[in-house]
Short mmCIF file of all heavy atoms in Angstrom, two decimals:
data_model
loop_
_atom_site.label_atom_id
_atom_site.label_comp_id
_atom_site.label_asym_id
_atom_site.label_seq_id
_atom_site.Cartn_x
_atom_site.Cartn_y
_atom_site.Cartn_z
N MET A 30 25.45 -3.52 15.75
CA MET A 30 24.41 -4.47 15.43
C MET A 30 23.81 -4.15 14.08
O MET A 30 23.55 -2.99 13.78
CB MET A 30 23.33 -4.45 16.51
CG MET A 30 22.36 -5.61 16.42
SD MET A 30 20.94 -5.46 17.58
CE MET A 30 21.74 -5.82 19.13
N LEU A 31 23.54 -5.17 13.31
CA LEU A 31 22.94 -4.96 12.00
C LEU A 31 21.48 -4.56 12.16
O LEU A 31 20.81 -4.96 13.11
CB LEU A 31 22.97 -6.25 11.18
CG LEU A 31 24.35 -6.76 10.76
CD1 LEU A 31 24.20 -8.11 10.07
CD2 LEU A 31 25.02 -5.76 9.84
N GLY A 32 21.00 -3.76 11.25
CA GLY A 32 19.58 -3.41 11.26
C GLY A 32 18.97 -3.76 9.92
O GLY A 32 19.63 -3.70 8.89
N ASP A 33 17.71 -4.17 9.97
CA ASP A 33 17.04 -4.56 8.73
C ASP A 33 15.56 -4.17 8.85
O ASP A 33 15.08 -3.89 9.95
CB ASP A 33 17.20 -6.06 8.51
CG ASP A 33 16.99 -6.46 7.06
OD1 ASP A 33 16.72 -5.57 6.23
OD2 ASP A 33 17.11 -7.64 6.76
N ILE A 34 14.89 -4.19 7.74
CA ILE A 34 13.46 -3.90 7.72
C ILE A 34 12.74 -5.18 7.34
O ILE A 34 13.15 -5.88 6.42
CB ILE A 34 13.14 -2.78 6.70
CG1 ILE A 34 13.78 -1.47 7.18
CG2 ILE A 34 11.66 -2.63 6.51
CD1 ILE A 34 13.73 -0.36 6.15
N ALA A 35 11.69 -5.50 8.10
CA ALA A 35 10.96 -6.74 7.87
C ALA A 35 10.35 -6.74 6.48
O ALA A 35 9.86 -5.73 5.99
CB ALA A 35 9.88 -6.92 8.92
N ARG A 36 10.38 -7.92 5.84
CA ARG A 36 9.91 -8.03 4.47
C ARG A 36 8.80 -9.06 4.36
O ARG A 36 8.77 -9.83 3.40
CB ARG A 36 11.05 -8.44 3.54
CG ARG A 36 12.07 -7.35 3.38
CD ARG A 36 13.12 -7.74 2.36
NE ARG A 36 14.26 -6.85 2.39
CZ ARG A 36 15.26 -6.95 3.23
NH1 ARG A 36 15.29 -7.93 4.08
NH2 ARG A 36 16.26 -6.08 3.19
N PHE A 37 7.90 -9.10 5.31
CA PHE A 37 6.77 -10.00 5.15
C PHE A 37 5.48 -9.17 5.12
O PHE A 37 5.43 -8.05 5.61
CB PHE A 37 6.72 -11.04 6.27
CG PHE A 37 6.55 -10.46 7.66
CD1 PHE A 37 5.29 -10.19 8.16
CD2 PHE A 37 7.65 -10.19 8.46
CE1 PHE A 37 5.12 -9.66 9.43
CE2 PHE A 37 7.51 -9.67 9.73
CZ PHE A 37 6.24 -9.40 10.21
N SER A 38 4.48 -9.76 4.51
CA SER A 38 3.17 -9.12 4.48
C SER A 38 2.34 -9.62 5.66
O SER A 38 2.51 -10.76 6.11
CB SER A 38 2.46 -9.50 3.16
OG SER A 38 1.08 -9.50 3.34
N PRO A 39 1.48 -8.76 6.22
CA PRO A 39 0.63 -9.20 7.33
C PRO A 39 -0.23 -10.40 6.99
O PRO A 39 -0.71 -11.08 7.87
CB PRO A 39 -0.23 -7.96 7.62
CG PRO A 39 0.54 -6.82 7.11
CD PRO A 39 1.31 -7.33 5.92
N HIS A 40 -0.41 -10.69 5.71
CA HIS A 40 -1.25 -11.82 5.30
C HIS A 40 -0.44 -13.08 5.06
O HIS A 40 -0.99 -14.12 4.73
CB HIS A 40 -2.02 -11.46 4.04
CG HIS A 40 -2.81 -10.19 4.17
ND1 HIS A 40 -3.89 -10.07 5.01
CD2 HIS A 40 -2.64 -8.96 3.64
CE1 HIS A 40 -4.37 -8.84 4.96
NE2 HIS A 40 -3.61 -8.13 4.15
N ASP A 41 0.86 -13.01 5.20
CA ASP A 41 1.70 -14.18 4.99
C ASP A 41 1.49 -15.23 6.09
O ASP A 41 1.21 -14.87 7.25
CB ASP A 41 3.19 -13.79 4.97
CG ASP A 41 3.59 -13.13 3.67
OD1 ASP A 41 2.86 -13.28 2.69
OD2 ASP A 41 4.65 -12.47 3.66
N PRO A 42 1.64 -16.51 5.76
CA PRO A 42 1.59 -17.56 6.78
C PRO A 42 2.81 -17.50 7.72
O PRO A 42 3.83 -16.88 7.37
CB PRO A 42 1.56 -18.87 5.98
CG PRO A 42 2.13 -18.50 4.65
CD PRO A 42 1.80 -17.06 4.41
N ASP A 43 2.69 -18.15 8.88
CA ASP A 43 3.76 -18.10 9.88
C ASP A 43 5.11 -18.47 9.30
O ASP A 43 6.13 -17.85 9.62
CB ASP A 43 3.44 -19.08 11.02
CG ASP A 43 2.37 -18.53 11.96
OD1 ASP A 43 1.84 -17.44 11.69
OD2 ASP A 43 2.08 -19.21 12.95
N ALA A 44 5.14 -19.48 8.41
CA ALA A 44 6.43 -19.94 7.88
C ALA A 44 7.15 -18.82 7.13
O ALA A 44 8.38 -18.72 7.24
CB ALA A 44 6.19 -21.14 6.96
N LEU A 45 6.41 -18.03 6.41
CA LEU A 45 7.04 -16.92 5.66
C LEU A 45 7.50 -15.81 6.62
O LEU A 45 8.52 -15.15 6.39
CB LEU A 45 6.07 -16.34 4.64
CG LEU A 45 5.99 -17.09 3.32
CD1 LEU A 45 5.04 -16.37 2.38
CD2 LEU A 45 7.36 -17.22 2.67
N VAL A 46 6.71 -15.58 7.66
CA VAL A 46 7.09 -14.56 8.63
C VAL A 46 8.40 -14.98 9.29
O VAL A 46 9.35 -14.18 9.41
CB VAL A 46 5.98 -14.36 9.68
CG1 VAL A 46 6.42 -13.40 10.76
CG2 VAL A 46 4.70 -13.87 9.01
N VAL A 47 8.49 -16.24 9.70
CA VAL A 47 9.72 -16.74 10.32
C VAL A 47 10.87 -16.67 9.32
O VAL A 47 11.99 -16.29 9.67
CB VAL A 47 9.51 -18.19 10.84
CG1 VAL A 47 10.84 -18.81 11.25
CG2 VAL A 47 8.54 -18.18 12.01
N ALA A 48 10.59 -17.03 8.07
CA ALA A 48 11.65 -16.99 7.06
C ALA A 48 12.19 -15.59 6.87
O ALA A 48 13.37 -15.41 6.57
CB ALA A 48 11.12 -17.55 5.74
N SER A 49 11.36 -14.59 7.03
CA SER A 49 11.82 -13.21 6.86
C SER A 49 12.74 -12.78 7.98
O SER A 49 13.43 -11.77 7.87
CB SER A 49 10.60 -12.26 6.79
OG SER A 49 10.10 -11.96 8.05
N LEU A 50 12.78 -13.58 9.07
CA LEU A 50 13.69 -13.27 10.18
C LEU A 50 14.96 -14.13 10.09
O LEU A 50 15.69 -14.23 11.07
CB LEU A 50 12.99 -13.50 11.50
CG LEU A 50 11.74 -12.65 11.77
CD1 LEU A 50 11.08 -13.06 13.06
CD2 LEU A 50 12.06 -11.16 11.78
N ALA A 51 15.19 -14.77 8.95
CA ALA A 51 16.35 -15.62 8.81
C ALA A 51 17.64 -14.84 8.99
O ALA A 51 17.70 -13.63 8.71
CB ALA A 51 16.33 -16.29 7.44
N CYS A 52 18.67 -15.53 9.41
CA CYS A 52 19.97 -14.91 9.62
C CYS A 52 20.51 -14.30 8.32
O CYS A 52 20.56 -14.97 7.29
CB CYS A 52 20.95 -15.97 10.14
SG CYS A 52 22.61 -15.33 10.37
N PRO A 53 20.91 -13.01 8.36
CA PRO A 53 21.41 -12.37 7.15
C PRO A 53 22.80 -12.85 6.75
O PRO A 53 23.25 -12.59 5.64
CB PRO A 53 21.42 -10.87 7.50
CG PRO A 53 21.54 -10.84 9.00
CD PRO A 53 20.84 -12.08 9.50
N VAL A 54 23.47 -13.53 7.65
CA VAL A 54 24.85 -13.97 7.36
C VAL A 54 24.84 -15.40 6.82
O VAL A 54 25.36 -15.67 5.73
CB VAL A 54 25.73 -13.87 8.62
CG1 VAL A 54 27.11 -14.46 8.36
CG2 VAL A 54 25.82 -12.41 9.04
N CYS A 55 24.23 -16.34 7.56
CA CYS A 55 24.30 -17.73 7.12
C CYS A 55 22.96 -18.23 6.59
O CYS A 55 22.85 -19.36 6.14
CB CYS A 55 24.79 -18.62 8.25
SG CYS A 55 23.63 -18.79 9.63
N LEU A 56 21.93 -17.37 6.64
CA LEU A 56 20.62 -17.64 6.04
C LEU A 56 19.84 -18.74 6.72
O LEU A 56 18.85 -19.21 6.19
CB LEU A 56 20.74 -17.91 4.52
CG LEU A 56 21.44 -16.81 3.72
CD1 LEU A 56 21.51 -17.21 2.26
CD2 LEU A 56 20.73 -15.48 3.88
N HIS A 57 20.28 -19.17 7.91
CA HIS A 57 19.47 -20.12 8.67
C HIS A 57 18.25 -19.41 9.27
O HIS A 57 18.38 -18.28 9.70
CB HIS A 57 20.29 -20.71 9.83
CG HIS A 57 21.21 -21.80 9.37
ND1 HIS A 57 22.32 -22.17 10.10
CD2 HIS A 57 21.21 -22.57 8.28
CE1 HIS A 57 22.94 -23.13 9.45
NE2 HIS A 57 22.28 -23.40 8.36
N SER A 58 17.12 -20.05 9.25
CA SER A 58 15.99 -19.50 9.99
C SER A 58 15.65 -20.38 11.18
O SER A 58 15.10 -19.91 12.17
CB SER A 58 14.78 -19.30 9.08
OG SER A 58 14.39 -20.52 8.50
N GLY A 59 15.96 -21.69 11.11
CA GLY A 59 15.62 -22.59 12.18
C GLY A 59 16.42 -22.35 13.46
O GLY A 59 15.98 -22.70 14.54
N SER A 60 17.60 -21.72 13.32
CA SER A 60 18.45 -21.55 14.50
C SER A 60 18.40 -20.12 15.04
O SER A 60 19.22 -19.75 15.87
CB SER A 60 19.90 -21.92 14.14
OG SER A 60 20.32 -21.19 13.04
N VAL A 61 17.45 -19.33 14.55
CA VAL A 61 17.34 -17.94 15.00
C VAL A 61 16.47 -17.85 16.24
O VAL A 61 15.36 -18.40 16.27
CB VAL A 61 16.77 -17.04 13.90
CG1 VAL A 61 16.47 -15.64 14.42
CG2 VAL A 61 17.73 -16.98 12.72
N ARG A 62 16.99 -17.23 17.28
CA ARG A 62 16.19 -16.92 18.48
C ARG A 62 15.78 -15.46 18.36
O ARG A 62 16.65 -14.60 18.16
CB ARG A 62 17.03 -17.13 19.73
CG ARG A 62 17.54 -18.53 19.88
CD ARG A 62 16.44 -19.45 20.36
NE ARG A 62 16.81 -20.85 20.21
CZ ARG A 62 16.49 -21.62 19.15
NH1 ARG A 62 15.83 -21.08 18.15
NH2 ARG A 62 16.84 -22.86 19.07
N TRP A 63 14.52 -15.15 18.50
CA TRP A 63 14.11 -13.77 18.39
C TRP A 63 13.24 -13.37 19.53
O TRP A 63 12.53 -14.16 20.14
CB TRP A 63 13.50 -13.47 17.04
CG TRP A 63 12.44 -14.41 16.56
CD1 TRP A 63 12.64 -15.54 15.83
CD2 TRP A 63 11.03 -14.32 16.78
NE1 TRP A 63 11.45 -16.14 15.58
CE2 TRP A 63 10.43 -15.41 16.14
CE3 TRP A 63 10.22 -13.40 17.44
CZ2 TRP A 63 9.06 -15.63 16.16
CZ3 TRP A 63 8.85 -13.60 17.47
CH2 TRP A 63 8.28 -14.73 16.82
N GLU A 64 13.29 -12.09 19.81
CA GLU A 64 12.54 -11.51 20.92
C GLU A 64 11.92 -10.22 20.42
O GLU A 64 12.64 -9.30 20.03
CB GLU A 64 13.50 -11.25 22.07
CG GLU A 64 12.82 -10.67 23.30
CD GLU A 64 13.85 -10.31 24.37
OE1 GLU A 64 14.91 -10.95 24.40
OE2 GLU A 64 13.59 -9.39 25.14
N ALA A 65 10.61 -10.17 20.41
CA ALA A 65 9.93 -9.03 19.85
C ALA A 65 9.67 -7.96 20.90
O ALA A 65 9.28 -8.29 22.03
CB ALA A 65 8.61 -9.48 19.22
N SER A 66 9.95 -6.75 20.57
CA SER A 66 9.46 -5.64 21.41
C SER A 66 8.51 -4.82 20.56
O SER A 66 8.92 -4.04 19.70
CB SER A 66 10.62 -4.80 21.95
OG SER A 66 11.39 -4.29 20.91
N LEU A 67 7.24 -5.12 20.74
CA LEU A 67 6.22 -4.64 19.81
C LEU A 67 5.51 -3.40 20.29
O LEU A 67 4.76 -2.79 19.55
CB LEU A 67 5.18 -5.74 19.56
CG LEU A 67 5.77 -7.04 18.99
CD1 LEU A 67 4.69 -8.11 18.87
CD2 LEU A 67 6.43 -6.81 17.63
N ARG A 68 5.75 -3.03 21.53
CA ARG A 68 5.10 -1.81 22.01
C ARG A 68 5.99 -0.62 21.73
O ARG A 68 7.19 -0.73 21.54
CB ARG A 68 4.83 -1.93 23.51
CG ARG A 68 3.71 -2.88 23.79
CD ARG A 68 3.30 -2.86 25.25
NE ARG A 68 2.76 -4.16 25.61
CZ ARG A 68 3.39 -5.00 26.42
NH1 ARG A 68 4.53 -4.66 26.97
NH2 ARG A 68 2.87 -6.17 26.65
N GLY A 69 5.36 0.52 21.74
CA GLY A 69 6.15 1.73 21.58
C GLY A 69 6.13 2.25 20.17
O GLY A 69 5.48 1.72 19.28
N TYR A 70 6.91 3.25 19.97
CA TYR A 70 6.86 4.03 18.75
C TYR A 70 7.52 3.30 17.58
O TYR A 70 7.15 3.47 16.45
CB TYR A 70 7.59 5.36 19.02
CG TYR A 70 7.67 6.27 17.83
CD1 TYR A 70 6.53 6.91 17.37
CD2 TYR A 70 8.87 6.48 17.18
CE1 TYR A 70 6.59 7.74 16.27
CE2 TYR A 70 8.94 7.32 16.09
CZ TYR A 70 7.80 7.95 15.64
OH TYR A 70 7.88 8.75 14.57
N ASP A 71 8.51 2.48 17.90
CA ASP A 71 9.35 1.89 16.86
C ASP A 71 9.47 0.38 17.07
O ASP A 71 10.50 -0.10 17.53
CB ASP A 71 10.73 2.56 16.93
CG ASP A 71 11.42 2.54 15.58
OD1 ASP A 71 10.77 2.22 14.57
OD2 ASP A 71 12.62 2.85 15.56
N PRO A 72 8.41 -0.38 16.75
CA PRO A 72 8.44 -1.83 17.04
C PRO A 72 9.55 -2.54 16.27
O PRO A 72 9.84 -2.20 15.12
CB PRO A 72 7.06 -2.33 16.61
CG PRO A 72 6.53 -1.28 15.70
CD PRO A 72 7.16 0.02 16.12
N SER A 73 10.18 -3.49 16.93
CA SER A 73 11.27 -4.20 16.29
C SER A 73 11.42 -5.59 16.91
O SER A 73 10.83 -5.87 17.95
CB SER A 73 12.58 -3.42 16.41
OG SER A 73 12.98 -3.35 17.76
N VAL A 74 12.21 -6.41 16.27
CA VAL A 74 12.53 -7.74 16.78
C VAL A 74 14.03 -7.85 16.90
O VAL A 74 14.76 -7.55 15.94
CB VAL A 74 12.02 -8.84 15.81
CG1 VAL A 74 12.18 -10.22 16.44
CG2 VAL A 74 10.58 -8.59 15.43
N ARG A 75 14.49 -8.25 18.07
CA ARG A 75 15.91 -8.52 18.24
C ARG A 75 16.15 -9.98 17.91
O ARG A 75 15.50 -10.85 18.46
CB ARG A 75 16.33 -8.26 19.68
CG ARG A 75 16.76 -6.82 19.91
CD ARG A 75 17.30 -6.65 21.29
NE ARG A 75 16.26 -6.99 22.28
CZ ARG A 75 16.49 -7.17 23.56
NH1 ARG A 75 17.70 -7.08 24.03
NH2 ARG A 75 15.49 -7.44 24.39
N CYS A 76 17.10 -10.23 17.02
CA CYS A 76 17.35 -11.59 16.57
C CYS A 76 18.78 -11.99 16.90
O CYS A 76 19.69 -11.15 16.92
CB CYS A 76 17.16 -11.71 15.05
SG CYS A 76 15.50 -11.29 14.52
N ARG A 77 18.96 -13.27 17.15
CA ARG A 77 20.27 -13.81 17.39
C ARG A 77 20.33 -15.18 16.76
O ARG A 77 19.44 -16.01 16.93
CB ARG A 77 20.54 -13.93 18.90
CG ARG A 77 21.92 -14.40 19.23
CD ARG A 77 22.12 -14.42 20.73
NE ARG A 77 23.33 -15.14 21.04
CZ ARG A 77 23.45 -16.45 21.07
NH1 ARG A 77 22.42 -17.20 20.84
NH2 ARG A 77 24.61 -17.02 21.32
N CYS A 78 21.38 -15.40 15.96
CA CYS A 78 21.54 -16.68 15.30
C CYS A 78 22.42 -17.59 16.16
O CYS A 78 23.56 -17.22 16.49
CB CYS A 78 22.23 -16.46 13.92
SG CYS A 78 22.52 -17.97 13.03
N SER A 79 21.89 -18.74 16.55
CA SER A 79 22.67 -19.66 17.38
C SER A 79 23.63 -20.49 16.52
O SER A 79 24.43 -21.24 17.04
CB SER A 79 21.75 -20.56 18.20
OG SER A 79 20.87 -21.27 17.36
N SER A 80 23.56 -20.33 15.22
CA SER A 80 24.47 -21.04 14.34
C SER A 80 25.79 -20.26 14.15
O SER A 80 26.87 -20.81 14.31
CB SER A 80 23.80 -21.27 12.99
OG SER A 80 24.64 -21.94 12.11
N CYS A 81 25.69 -18.96 13.84
CA CYS A 81 26.91 -18.17 13.60
C CYS A 81 27.06 -17.04 14.61
O CYS A 81 28.01 -16.24 14.50
CB CYS A 81 26.93 -17.62 12.17
SG CYS A 81 25.71 -16.30 11.89
N HIS A 82 26.12 -16.92 15.56
CA HIS A 82 26.20 -15.94 16.65
C HIS A 82 26.06 -14.49 16.20
O HIS A 82 26.41 -13.57 16.93
CB HIS A 82 27.49 -16.11 17.47
CG HIS A 82 27.63 -17.51 17.99
ND1 HIS A 82 26.80 -18.05 18.91
CD2 HIS A 82 28.51 -18.49 17.65
CE1 HIS A 82 27.16 -19.30 19.15
NE2 HIS A 82 28.19 -19.59 18.40
N GLN A 83 25.58 -14.28 15.00
CA GLN A 83 25.27 -12.94 14.55
C GLN A 83 24.07 -12.40 15.33
O GLN A 83 23.15 -13.14 15.66
CB GLN A 83 24.98 -12.96 13.04
CG GLN A 83 24.65 -11.62 12.44
CD GLN A 83 25.85 -10.68 12.45
OE1 GLN A 83 26.94 -11.08 12.05
NE2 GLN A 83 25.65 -9.48 12.95
N ARG A 84 24.09 -11.10 15.60
CA ARG A 84 22.93 -10.44 16.19
C ARG A 84 22.49 -9.35 15.27
O ARG A 84 23.31 -8.67 14.66
CB ARG A 84 23.30 -9.80 17.54
CG ARG A 84 23.59 -10.79 18.62
CD ARG A 84 24.27 -10.05 19.77
NE ARG A 84 24.70 -10.99 20.80
CZ ARG A 84 23.95 -11.33 21.84
NH1 ARG A 84 22.76 -10.77 22.00
NH2 ARG A 84 24.38 -12.20 22.71
N TRP A 85 21.19 -9.16 15.18
CA TRP A 85 20.66 -8.07 14.36
C TRP A 85 19.28 -7.69 14.85
O TRP A 85 18.68 -8.37 15.68
CB TRP A 85 20.65 -8.46 12.89
CG TRP A 85 19.68 -9.53 12.50
CD1 TRP A 85 18.47 -9.36 11.91
CD2 TRP A 85 19.85 -10.93 12.69
NE1 TRP A 85 17.86 -10.55 11.73
CE2 TRP A 85 18.68 -11.55 12.19
CE3 TRP A 85 20.84 -11.73 13.21
CZ2 TRP A 85 18.50 -12.92 12.22
CZ3 TRP A 85 20.66 -13.10 13.25
CH2 TRP A 85 19.51 -13.68 12.76
N ARG A 86 18.78 -6.62 14.31
CA ARG A 86 17.47 -6.12 14.70
C ARG A 86 16.65 -5.87 13.43
O ARG A 86 17.16 -5.34 12.45
CB ARG A 86 17.61 -4.83 15.50
CG ARG A 86 16.32 -4.29 16.07
CD ARG A 86 16.56 -3.02 16.83
NE ARG A 86 17.22 -3.23 18.11
CZ ARG A 86 16.56 -3.40 19.27
NH1 ARG A 86 15.25 -3.39 19.27
NH2 ARG A 86 17.22 -3.59 20.37
N VAL A 87 15.41 -6.31 13.48
CA VAL A 87 14.50 -6.12 12.34
C VAL A 87 13.41 -5.14 12.75
O VAL A 87 12.73 -5.36 13.76
CB VAL A 87 13.88 -7.46 11.91
CG1 VAL A 87 12.91 -7.26 10.76
CG2 VAL A 87 14.97 -8.45 11.49
N TYR A 88 13.28 -4.07 12.00
CA TYR A 88 12.25 -3.07 12.31
C TYR A 88 10.97 -3.38 11.56
O TYR A 88 10.98 -3.86 10.43
CB TYR A 88 12.78 -1.69 11.92
CG TYR A 88 13.93 -1.28 12.76
CD1 TYR A 88 15.24 -1.53 12.36
CD2 TYR A 88 13.71 -0.71 14.02
CE1 TYR A 88 16.31 -1.20 13.16
CE2 TYR A 88 14.79 -0.37 14.83
CZ TYR A 88 16.08 -0.62 14.40
OH TYR A 88 17.14 -0.31 15.19
N LEU A 89 9.86 -3.12 12.25
CA LEU A 89 8.56 -3.54 11.74
C LEU A 89 7.64 -2.35 11.51
O LEU A 89 7.65 -1.39 12.29
CB LEU A 89 7.88 -4.45 12.77
CG LEU A 89 8.61 -5.72 13.20
CD1 LEU A 89 7.91 -6.35 14.38
CD2 LEU A 89 8.71 -6.70 12.04
N ALA A 90 6.84 -2.46 10.47
CA ALA A 90 5.73 -1.53 10.29
C ALA A 90 4.63 -1.93 11.30
O ALA A 90 4.61 -3.07 11.76
CB ALA A 90 5.19 -1.62 8.87
N PRO A 91 3.74 -0.99 11.67
CA PRO A 91 2.72 -1.30 12.68
C PRO A 91 1.90 -2.55 12.35
O PRO A 91 1.63 -3.35 13.24
CB PRO A 91 1.84 -0.04 12.68
CG PRO A 91 2.75 1.06 12.24
CD PRO A 91 3.71 0.43 11.26
N GLU A 92 1.54 -2.74 11.08
CA GLU A 92 0.73 -3.93 10.76
C GLU A 92 1.55 -5.21 10.85
O GLU A 92 1.02 -6.29 11.14
CB GLU A 92 0.07 -3.79 9.38
CG GLU A 92 1.02 -3.65 8.22
CD GLU A 92 1.37 -2.19 7.93
OE1 GLU A 92 1.23 -1.34 8.85
OE2 GLU A 92 1.77 -1.90 6.78
N GLN A 93 2.86 -5.10 10.60
CA GLN A 93 3.74 -6.27 10.77
C GLN A 93 3.89 -6.61 12.26
O GLN A 93 3.95 -7.77 12.64
CB GLN A 93 5.11 -6.00 10.17
CG GLN A 93 5.07 -5.92 8.65
CD GLN A 93 6.39 -5.47 8.07
OE1 GLN A 93 7.04 -4.59 8.62
NE2 GLN A 93 6.77 -6.07 6.97
N ALA A 94 3.94 -5.58 13.09
CA ALA A 94 4.03 -5.82 14.53
C ALA A 94 2.78 -6.54 15.04
O ALA A 94 2.89 -7.45 15.86
CB ALA A 94 4.22 -4.49 15.27
N LEU A 95 1.62 -6.14 14.52
CA LEU A 95 0.40 -6.84 14.91
C LEU A 95 0.44 -8.30 14.47
O LEU A 95 0.04 -9.20 15.21
CB LEU A 95 -0.83 -6.15 14.25
CG LEU A 95 -1.26 -4.82 14.88
CD1 LEU A 95 -2.38 -4.23 14.03
CD2 LEU A 95 -1.73 -5.02 16.31
N ARG A 96 0.94 -8.51 13.26
CA ARG A 96 1.01 -9.90 12.72
C ARG A 96 1.95 -10.74 13.58
O ARG A 96 1.63 -11.87 13.93
CB ARG A 96 1.51 -9.81 11.29
CG ARG A 96 1.77 -11.15 10.62
CD ARG A 96 0.46 -11.91 10.43
NE ARG A 96 0.69 -13.21 9.83
CZ ARG A 96 1.04 -14.30 10.54
NH1 ARG A 96 1.16 -14.23 11.83
NH2 ARG A 96 1.20 -15.44 9.94
N LEU A 97 3.08 -10.21 13.90
CA LEU A 97 4.06 -10.96 14.70
C LEU A 97 3.51 -11.17 16.11
O LEU A 97 3.78 -12.19 16.74
CB LEU A 97 5.37 -10.20 14.73
CG LEU A 97 6.60 -11.05 15.04
CD1 LEU A 97 6.83 -12.07 13.94
CD2 LEU A 97 7.83 -10.18 15.20
N GLY A 98 2.74 -10.22 16.59
CA GLY A 98 2.15 -10.37 17.92
C GLY A 98 1.24 -11.56 18.05
O GLY A 98 1.02 -12.08 19.14
N LEU A 99 0.71 -12.05 16.92
CA LEU A 99 -0.15 -13.21 16.95
C LEU A 99 0.66 -14.50 17.12
O LEU A 99 0.11 -15.54 17.39
CB LEU A 99 -0.94 -13.31 15.64
CG LEU A 99 -1.90 -12.15 15.34
CD1 LEU A 99 -2.49 -12.33 13.94
CD2 LEU A 99 -2.99 -12.12 16.38
N MET A 100 1.97 -14.40 16.94
CA MET A 100 2.82 -15.61 17.00
C MET A 100 3.57 -15.74 18.33
O MET A 100 4.07 -16.81 18.62
CB MET A 100 3.87 -15.55 15.88
CG MET A 100 3.28 -15.69 14.50
SD MET A 100 4.49 -15.39 13.23
CE MET A 100 5.80 -16.54 13.68
N VAL A 101 3.66 -14.69 19.10
CA VAL A 101 4.49 -14.76 20.32
C VAL A 101 3.66 -15.12 21.55
O VAL A 101 2.47 -15.19 21.45
CB VAL A 101 5.26 -13.44 20.57
CG1 VAL A 101 6.26 -13.23 19.46
CG2 VAL A 101 4.32 -12.28 20.68
ZN1 ZN B 7 23.70 -17.14 11.20
#
């Protein structure tokens, strides 16, 4: 599985946060299904692209996990 580091700021609007979870292969963001696991030592989001079926995981800094927690 691919791994990546989230590239959004905690102050970014939702659209930018979602865009940062775009598929690394086909660059779609609208077709990405994601599931956040924000608790624990190493918060991350598991992503799956329904367009090209790529799966990957995005690792989050603690403040990014808080930001994403406001959206789920
Ligand atoms: Zn894709």
Side-chain angles (χ1 to χ4, degrees):
M30 192 188 286
L31 294 175
D33 201 359
I34 294 171
R36 291 185 192 84
F37 62 86
S38 151
H40 307 292
D41 284 342
D43 285 3
L45 277 182
V46 175
V47 169
S49 80
L50 300 175
C52 177
V54 175
C55 69
L56 304 179
H57 281 159
S58 59
S60 54
V61 172
R62 301 282 167 266
W63 48 270
E64 180 185 333
S66 57
L67 301 176
R68 288 188 208 110
Y70 178 71
D71 207 11
S73 65
V74 188
R75 272 186 299 167
C76 300
R77 184 177 168 281
C78 179
S79 55
S80 179
C81 71
H82 305 294
Q83 180 67 49
R84 291 166 186 268
W85 68 101
R86 185 181 287 268
V87 178
Y88 294 93
L89 302 170
E92 60 271 22
Q93 291 172 321
L95 285 175
R96 175 67 181 84
L97 202 65
L99 297 175
M100 292 172 54
V101 294

